[in-house]
Amino acid sequence: MDKVAVTPHGLRTRAALLDAGRALAVDGGLAGLSVSGVAARAGVAKGTFYVHFADRDAFVRALRDDFNGRIGERVAAAVADLEPGGRRLLVGLTAYLDACLEDRALKALVRETRDDVEPRDRLVALVAANLRAMSVRDAAAAARLVVAMAAEVALAEHEAGKKEHGARRALRRFIEGAAGPGG
């Protein structure tokens, strides 16, 4: 069971631990995170870590949840006033890619959360809804491909340290082509 900070000090400490985890993930990925390293980076005692997280696995889950929440907020804000369909899908994917590129700490989380089934399935469902609004046949299958392609574009951009316009164009063309003749 996740522990929840409720006091202002507790919330600040939890945030400092998550910030420390993100900073350490930039350099070594999630596999290299240790409780001692996170606590030291956050400037708290190791025991304080356990006040906020049951164990390392709970901490990594919290990092992933934070990542998914931050990306979700950016995408939701970008598409809030758009009707389901191609424009909404492309604007949402652009917001996703931009958010991933702007935050270096997200690199490790993008790479290591690709197999995080629940958020991926939610994203596939959202993409599929937009593809169905575009009258795309096999929208569910196409949505899985779009999500996988977007994750690969995000990783390529992190490796390059900049937008990969060719990769973004290829993703856009795939989406537009899926809606073409015969969907």
Side-chain angles (χ1 to χ4, degrees):
M1 175 180 238
D2 287 341
K3 301 176 180 186
V4 179
V6 293
T7 66
H9 176 71
L11 292 170
R12 283 191 303 274
T13 301
R14 181 181 173 86
L17 288 163
L18 289 170
D19 288 344
R22 279 190 295 275
L24 291 170
V26 167
D27 298 325
L30 296 179
L33 287 181
S34 70
V35 171
S36 297
V38 170
R41 179 75 178 239
V44 300
K46 187 175 176 180
T48 301
F49 176 94
Y50 291 107
V51 169
H52 296 276
F53 303 99
D55 53 27
R56 184 191 175 282
D57 289 341
F59 179 72
V60 170
R61 274 192 310 279
L63 279 174
R64 287 179 173 167
D65 290 347
D66 182 64
F67 165 74
N68 289 323
R70 290 166 56 182
I71 294 293
E73 288 172 7
R74 289 280 300 269
V75 171
V79 302
D81 297 328
L82 300 175
E83 294 294 321
R87 175 144 170 73
R88 181 182 177 100
L89 179 55
L90 292 172
V91 168
L93 287 171
T94 299
Y96 166 80
L97 292 171
D98 289 347
C100 289
L101 186 58
E102 289 169 12
D103 190 337
R104 284 182 20 96
L106 296 179
K107 178 180 180 179
L109 294 166
V110 168
R111 182 177 304 282
E112 297 182 34
T113 58
R114 286 189 301 181
D115 296 327
D116 205 355
V117 175
E118 183 183 333
R120 185 189 64 220
D121 287 349
R122 284 194 310 262
L123 183 55
V124 166
L126 291 170
V127 169
N130 286 290
L131 292 173
R132 278 192 291 281
M134 297 165 60
S135 300
V136 171
R137 276 194 258 160
D138 302 317
R144 288 183 59 88
L145 293 173
V146 167
V147 169
M149 290 168 63
E152 289 302 317
V153 172
L155 290 174
E157 290 186 342
H158 273 292
E159 290 166 6
K162 62 184 174 75
K163 288 182 182 180
E164 289 288 335
H165 296 287
R168 288 184 181 214
R169 267 192 309 275
L171 178 58
R172 185 184 73 244
R173 286 182 182 142
F174 176 82
I175 293 165
E176 292 168 346

